[in-house]
């Protein structure tokens, strides 16, 4: 009989460092891709400021990008089952929430 306190060598141990644990706020994601990778730039847009800064850049393989897409879809379904539909500002009438245009981004890498 195995001791239940022994770690399973096949179980992945994930460490969340203190400086990463609080996260970084972003309210826009810009996604670009090549044949070998997807690049996700997470941006924080602040009202009244002419510039928006990239807060984080994640580079991943196309396969992992697709896994992320499926994981997000699954989690959105679970979220909406618990809390109701997520209301998108651009789909609401008389919405006064700022929604940035999704084309003509000019940025620097």
């Amino acid at each position: 009989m195995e001791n239940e306190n022994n770690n399973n060598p096949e179980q992945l141990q994930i460490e969340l460092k203190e400086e990463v644990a609080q996260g970084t706020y972003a309210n826009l994601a810009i996604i670009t891709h090549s044949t070998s990778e997807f690049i996700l730039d997470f941006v924080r847009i602040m009202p009244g400021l002419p510039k928006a800064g990239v807060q984080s850049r994640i580079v991943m393989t196309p396969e992992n990008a697709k896994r992320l897409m499926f994981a997000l879809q699954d989690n959105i379904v679970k979220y909406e089952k618990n809390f109701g539909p997520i209301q998108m500002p651009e789909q609401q009438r008389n919405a006064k929430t700022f929604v940035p245009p999704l084309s003509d981004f000019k940025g620097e890498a």
Side-chain angles (χ1 to χ4, degrees), residues 17-74:
K17 296 180 181 177
E18 190 173 332
E19 63 269 16
V20 176
Q22 290 191 16
T24 300
Y25 180 76
N27 51 10
L28 175 68
I30 300 171
I31 303 170
T32 55
H33 65 275
S34 69
T35 57
S36 59
E37 60 208 6
F38 274 70
I39 301 165
L40 292 79
D41 286 328
F42 294 94
V43 179
R44 181 184 306 149
I45 298 174
M46 300 302 286
L49 296 179
K51 275 188 153 182
V54 173
Q55 301 301 306
S56 182
R57 172 174 275 190
I58 305 296
V59 181
M60 57 178 47
T61 64
E63 294 84 4
N64 284 333
K66 195 162 189 174
R67 285 184 185 101
L68 174 62
M69 179 192 70
F70 288 139
L72 283 170
Q73 286 175 334
D74 182 53

